[in-house]
Amino acid sequence: MLKKQLLTIVALMLNILSMLPIQTYGQGVKTTPCGPIPTENQLRWQEMEMYAFIHYSLNTYTDEEWGFGNETLELFNPSNLDCRQWARVCKQAGMKGIIFTAKHHCGFCMWPSKYTEYSVKNTPWKQGKGDVVRELAEACREEGLKFAVYLSPWDRNHKDYGKPEYVTYFRNQLRELLTNYGDIFEVWFDGANGGDGWYGGANERRQIDKDYYGWSETFKMIRELQPKCVIWSDAGGERGDLRWVGTEGGYIGETNWSLVPREGRLDYQILHYGAEDGELWVAGETNTSIRPGWFYHKTEDEHVKSLSKLMDTYYKSVGRNSCLLLNFPIAPNGRIHPNDSLRGIAFNKMIHEVFKTDLAKKAKIKTQGTETIIKFKKPTTFNRFVAEEDIRYGQRVKKFALEAEIDGKWQPLKDELVENGNGLTTIGHRRIICFPTITATRLRFTILDAKCEPIIKRTSVYLAPELTADIPDSGEKYSSNLHYFFSNPKQMMIDWDTEQTFTSFRYLPPQNTHEGIVTHYTLWASTDWQNWTKLASGEFSNIVNNPIWQTIRFAPVKAKILRLDADRLAEGNRMAFDDIEVVKE
């Protein structure tokens, strides 16, 4: 009888507890999942937060971003290739792993694949006995880093590309990479598929449809061979574990759901912001390069991203419920260039400097319902706020507010990285809110809307050192912290988080060489990456003899992306510049 009464009381208590708001703050209270939830592999990936891309291939020796597939194998003979240097640099830069371009679009294999002659086994490097993939996998293990591979689905070298035989070849190579080099934490397939290529001497254009690769079978093979890895896919068809974020500029949307629809095309809106009601957990991975290009180009040695740009990238990727995949290209000698390594290491040191002291730890924290108040012992100066959900049970928070009590009055805080402060929406794994430095006695964090009962496991406060802007204000309103990248050697993309109004574009050509100087151009604008408006085209008169700032003026236009096409270069095959500026209204 007594036992039955005790069971009744316990059941009643559990029922009461189940109706109370759950705030874990790291205690890991179990609860019912809300909507789609991440797999163990996806959770493990999210905890990595930052890892490196390494781009290295024959492109490094032809000064191209995309090889055509007919590059001579004799080009590959680096004088000082050192994968341990790559691993050490990446570790010092705060990266938790490395994804390596085992094969890029040119089809050249950085391992001695038994399925092709177009690989390191037929190069002068190490008399054909070398294996870059193996050396890097071993270096990663020595440094405690995870290892992963990029394998281009498009192959501009292979004679059978576009035919069923190539799919078998592609899977055979993937099997080699997944069985001969230890644990793989991620497999990366990009979406560049079909087009011009050498194709065994055919020198023609080949197109494929979205079903060509048979991704469901390929994914099944990956799951069997590497059950703990995640799959990144921009190739269409089968959904992977991770998604592209719609830009290579180094940021994801201020609203970022780790969910996507089960069916249909993933357009820019879904890629960049996710889908609140999505049926699948497919988190966004933010990929960008520490330079404008993905492969090494000497003309970019002085265009390594500044520390402030890298921190801006961190806040807009890791700080927006994403992971950051930061590229370090390998120079022709086989090493990461000193400019890149020093900047990467400084980047990691700055992250540690910003987040070394959680000011909330010495404050009184009181949570009631969906409101948390952090009360400091004395007026405290800060400019960063961090919140985290326990995403094991789903992503729940839709909207929240942040206020500070300054001189006895509550004032709303706005994220300086989001125009008009409208970015206080999703949280997910981690949300970092940046705002101008203030001194306050209390901070109030209020969840205004959520899909289910919110589960917040962390609220932290920090004071970050101020970093100067990269482009000075010289009377006109120039855009700073530009996100730019090359979609091909003669096309530059510049993108922004939100729509802006632009009035002119300025280009400063290289000052010490004619190589890469743009002499004829076309400038385009877009709001969605699909529809482009021509803003201007023409010639930069006498730019070779007088390489001064060139200004392209046009009627004010609203856009999120600008695209500069180099229609003609003075010399060489790749656009170059010393500086660029965009003037906003």
Side-chain angles (χ1 to χ4, degrees), residues 105 127 288 318 429 452:
H105 309 325
Q127 294 79 48
T288 194
V318 177
H429 172 71
C452 303

Coordinates of all heavy atoms in Angstrom, one line a residue, residues 105 127 288 318 429 452:
H105 N 38.4 20.5 -59.7 CA 37.7 20.3 -60.9 C 38.7 19.8 -62.1 O 38.2 19.2 -63.0 CB 37.1 21.6 -61.4 CG 36.2 22.2 -60.3 ND1 35.5 21.5 -59.4 CD2 36.0 23.5 -60.0 CE1 34.8 22.3 -58.6 NE2 35.1 23.5 -58.9
Q127 N 59.7 11.5 -56.9 CA 59.8 10.5 -57.9 C 58.5 9.7 -58.1 O 58.5 8.4 -58.3 CB 61.0 9.6 -57.7 CG 62.3 10.2 -57.8 CD 62.7 11.0 -56.5 OE1 62.5 10.5 -55.4 NE2 63.2 12.2 -56.7
T288 N 34.6 30.3 -46.4 CA 35.2 31.5 -47.0 C 36.7 31.3 -46.9 O 37.2 30.4 -46.2 CB 34.8 32.8 -46.2 OG1 35.1 34.0 -47.0 CG2 35.5 32.9 -44.8
V318 N 30.1 31.6 -36.6 CA 30.0 30.9 -35.3 C 29.0 31.6 -34.4 O 28.2 30.9 -33.7 CB 31.4 30.8 -34.6 CG1 31.3 30.1 -33.3 CG2 32.4 30.0 -35.5
H429 N 22.8 26.8 -31.6 CA 24.0 26.4 -30.9 C 24.6 27.6 -30.2 O 25.0 27.5 -29.0 CB 25.0 25.7 -31.8 CG 26.3 25.4 -31.2 ND1 26.5 24.5 -30.2 CD2 27.5 26.0 -31.3 CE1 27.7 24.4 -29.8 NE2 28.4 25.4 -30.5
C452 N 8.7 26.1 -29.0 CA 8.4 25.2 -27.8 C 9.0 25.9 -26.6 O 9.7 26.9 -26.7 CB 8.9 23.8 -28.0 SG 8.4 22.9 -29.4

